[in-house]
Amino acid sequence: PDRVHMPVYVGLGNHDLDQNGPPQHVDWYRREMRDYVEINHRAGVFFKPPVPATSYDVDTDCYSWDWGGLHLVQTHRFAGDAGHGAVSSLPWLERDLATYAADRRPVILYQHYGWDVFSTERWNAAKSTFDDDGTGPPHWWSEADRQALLAALKGYNVVGIFHGHQHETPMIYRRDGLDLFKPKAAYMGGFALARVTSDSMDVVLGEATGDNGEVAFTNAFSKRLSF
């Protein structure tokens, strides 16, 4: 009863990767979190992880897996993240898609940051804060970061990106030709359910509403697929 009886694919966000350890080992916390991803998903010669990935990039801890004809990719904060000395995963993502998705099969990408106003906010010097009216440096990821990701995805059948970061508001929206899905944060009871078939994709966002298993569905989406 105290375990999730489904395969769990781990993704890291800013709360995992922005935390510094003590001065003598500043990357300690980040390394612990990345190690957790690796032991859950990276297969070795002798070690068999509980949820093995199809492809695992040791340098970035990004990985991908396949469910039938569906290719899924986890890139943590975002592909191209170089914060705190991280290695950009864009070269790995390009190789992964060329290897596993060149046949136009549907691809779903998971990352922490989105295209919502919180994820794209910039420094507002007049108000001394980050907000959606700012024109200064980005708070989380930049327009250049987004354009680099879009360039890596160009030509592939990316049917959706699921992201987090903004906690309170469930969202289904479209930006830069991509369908984007963000449930309410899990610690607030939020979740997403998705079904992908050979010719369609359906997504609903919901949240727990009581102490006895009650749920409420807040957003829904459906589209036809072609590949």
Side-chain angles (χ1 to χ4, degrees):
D2 60 341
R3 295 180 181 273
V4 177
H5 296 283
M6 295 289 288
V8 175
Y9 293 84
V10 181
L12 304 178
N14 60 295
H15 292 285
D16 308 303
L17 297 174
D18 281 345
Q19 301 296 323
N20 287 332
Q24 67 272 22
H25 195 352
V26 70
D27 289 324
W28 175 83
Y29 186 76
R30 280 184 284 276
R31 189 63 263 163
E32 288 288 299
M33 299 304 294
R34 290 184 177 278
D35 286 349
Y36 181 74
V37 176
E38 185 171 6
I39 64 173
N40 274 277
H41 302 301
R42 183 191 175 203
V45 175
F46 302 106
F47 179 70
K48 305 301 180 186
V51 186
T54 299
S55 172
Y56 191 98
D57 185 42
V58 177
D59 291 333
T60 68
D61 298 295
C62 295
Y63 60 92
S64 67
W65 70 102
D66 296 283
W67 286 336
L70 177 66
H71 189 62
L72 307 101
V73 186
Q74 172 61 255
T75 61
H76 306 299
R77 290 204 299 191
F78 64 94
D81 181 16
H84 300 286
V87 176
S88 170
S89 60
L90 281 173
W92 171 82
L93 177 62
E94 292 168 350
R95 293 192 302 271
D96 179 85
L97 294 175
T99 301
Y100 299 105
D103 59 357
R104 296 289 298 167
R105 69 180 55 208
V107 175
I108 290 178
L109 187 75
Y110 296 90
Q111 64 177 56
H112 192 65
Y113 298 149
W115 275 250
D116 58 287
V117 293
F118 179 54
S119 294
T120 59
E121 66 182 6
R122 298 170 63 179
W123 180 250
N124 187 327
K127 298 179 181 178
S128 297
T129 189
F130 289 96
D131 62 23
D132 54 328
D133 293 323
T135 58
H139 195 179
W140 309 110
W141 69 324
S142 68
E143 179 62 23
D145 293 327
R146 291 186 286 278
Q147 291 303 315
L149 175 58
L150 290 170
L153 300 180
K154 186 177 181 180
Y156 296 99
N157 189 18
V158 179
V159 297
I161 295 180
F162 288 77
H163 73 87
H165 195 47
Q166 202 279 355
H167 293 172
E168 297 83 7
T169 307
M171 307 177 202
I172 295 177
Y173 62 109
R174 187 172 176 84
R175 296 286 189 279
D176 290 329
L178 297 168
D179 291 313
L180 298 135
F181 308 93
K182 192 215 73 72
K184 181 179 282 191
Y187 82 92
M188 302 177 75
F191 62 90
L193 296 175
R195 179 180 66 177
V196 181
T197 70
S198 60
D199 61 1
S200 66
M201 177 178 179
D202 304 297
V203 180
V204 293
L205 306 183
E207 59 186 272
T209 58
D211 297 327
N212 298 299
E214 302 93 340
V215 299
F217 293 103
T218 57
N219 307 68
F221 171 92
S222 184
K223 69 176 177 180
R224 303 289 293 179
L225 299 181
S226 60
F227 53 96

